[in-house]
Amino acid sequence: MTPTGKADDLPANLLRRAAERWCELTKGSDNPEAFADMVRSAATPARRSASGAKGKGIQLASATRTATLKTLLEDVGENAAPWRDGDTAAATRANVSDDGDDNVDVAGAVQQAGELAALLAGQRGLCIVQLWAAARPDEAWTHNPLVVRLLRMADKDDGVDAVLSIATRSGEPQAISLIVHATSPVGFTSRAEALTVMGAQAAMVPDSPKDKATIGRLLGYPCEAVREHIVHTHNQSWDDSDADQVEAKLAELGDVELPWRQEAPRLFAKV
C-alpha cells in the first residue's frame, strides 16, 4: 500500500488508538504509531485539478448547500431508525436538505455521517467508516465534511473508541475501514473486535451469505433487515438454521442494549 496526499483533518488520536488495537488483535505490525501515520496518509488521496494534475484542486462554478451537521443531528435526535435499522428503514430516511428542494436526494451523502451521529447519540453501538480501498485508490472516502466533524467529536468522546479493520489478499492490504463503537457495555467492544478479525469493510460486501449476516448483525441491524439484504438485494438463500448459527455467535460476545446512553454528548450543543 502506497500512501498519498495528506489527511490532516482526520483525528490523529482516534486513528492511533485504532491502529494500536488492530496491531494487538492481529499482530499485523510492530510499530503502531508509524502504521497509524500511514493509514492517515492513505485515507485522503492527493488533491487534483479538473484536468487530473495534482496540486491545484478543482474549480467550482457553483455550489448548493443540501445538508448541515445541525439539521442532521436534529433528524437523528428525532428518529434514529433510518440510520440504525438497515435496508428496511431506507425508505423513511429523512431528507435533510436546507433549501427545501424535495428533488435533492441527500440520503446517500449523509448515510455514513448519520450512522456516526446515531452512534454518538447512543442509538447505535457500532458503525464502519471506509478510509481506503486499493481498487479505488483516488476515492475521497473521508472528504465528507460531516463525517470528518463527527469523527472529531468521537475522538473527544470518552464513551467511544475505534479499531481498524483491514481486508487483505495474499498478505497485502486491499481495504481499510475504521470501526467506531461504544465502549459500554463491553459487548459493543467485543463485536467491534470480531468485525476487525473478519476484516469487515464499509465498501466491500463478502460473497458468503453467512458472512453478510454476521457482519450485519454485529453492526446491530435487525434480523429482518439482514434477511432482506441477503435474499432480495443479493438473491441468495438464507434459512433459520443459518440465522441460528449467527445468533449463537453473537450470544458469545456479551449482551448489548440500546440506547447505550440517555443523553447526546455536550458537543452536540456546540454545533
Side-chain angles (χ1 to χ4, degrees):
M1 178 175 63
T2 303
T4 60
K6 297 174 66 177
D8 294 336
D9 289 339
L10 294 174
N13 290 335
L14 189 69
L15 285 179
R16 186 180 66 250
R17 295 199 307 272
E20 288 173 350
R21 292 180 61 200
W22 178 82
C23 292
E24 291 174 2
L25 284 167
T26 67
K27 310 302 181 187
S29 173
D30 57 4
N31 192 338
E33 188 169 345
F35 185 75
D37 289 341
M38 184 180 68
V39 170
R40 291 184 72 238
S41 294
T44 303
R47 290 181 172 85
R48 300 174 184 270
S49 69
S51 64
K54 295 182 180 180
K56 295 183 178 180
I58 62 174
Q59 295 182 351
L60 295 177
S62 64
T64 300
R65 183 173 67 174
T66 60
T68 66
L69 184 57
K70 184 175 185 296
T71 55
L72 177 60
L73 294 179
E74 289 172 350
D75 275 352
V76 170
E78 291 175 5
N79 178 22
W83 293 281
R84 182 191 60 216
D85 295 341
D87 292 348
T88 55
T92 64
R93 184 174 288 115
N95 187 325
V96 294
S97 174
D98 269 359
D99 59 12
D101 184 355
D102 291 336
N103 293 321
V104 178
D105 179 14
V106 298
V110 302
Q111 179 175 354
Q112 198 157 70
E115 291 173 357
L116 277 168
L119 167 65
L120 295 177
Q123 296 295 327
R124 275 187 76 118
L126 308 91
C127 61
I128 302 183
V129 178
Q130 195 71 40
L131 298 180
W132 175 84
R136 295 150 72 181
D138 290 331
E139 187 84 27
W141 301 103
T142 55
H143 277 184
N144 184 330
L146 298 178
V147 170
V148 171
R149 289 185 67 184
L150 285 159
L151 285 175
R152 290 177 184 170
M153 293 169 69
D155 188 26
K156 299 175 182 177
D157 193 320
D158 292 338
V160 173
D161 207 349
V163 59
L164 291 178
S165 181
I166 301 178
T168 62
R169 180 183 299 158
S170 301
E172 292 297 319
Q174 297 299 306
I176 303 174
S177 285
L178 184 70
I179 301 175
V180 189
H181 65 90
T183 57
S184 180
V186 70
F188 288 130
T189 298
S190 58
R191 282 161 171 73
E193 292 176 349
L195 287 166
T196 288
V197 171
M198 293 183 70
Q201 301 295 310
M204 295 173 62
V205 180
D207 293 330
S208 161
K210 187 174 181 180
D211 286 347
K212 287 184 179 73
T214 301
I215 290 172
R217 292 293 289 133
L218 285 170
L219 286 169
Y221 293 118
C223 293
E224 59 271 20
V226 170
R227 179 181 293 275
E228 177 81 10
H229 184 70
I230 293 170
V231 175
H232 296 289
T233 303
H234 292 278
N235 296 314
Q236 294 177 307
S237 61
W238 187 245
D239 58 37
D240 291 341
S241 62
D242 295 324
D244 289 344
Q245 292 178 35
V246 172
E247 294 306 307
K249 178 179 178 64
L250 259 66
E252 296 173 358
L253 299 175
D255 295 333
V256 294
E257 186 177 353
L258 293 175
W260 62 268
R261 66 167 31 138
Q262 297 303 318
E263 296 182 3
R266 287 176 300 194
L267 286 170
F268 275 30
K270 299 179 180 179
V271 173

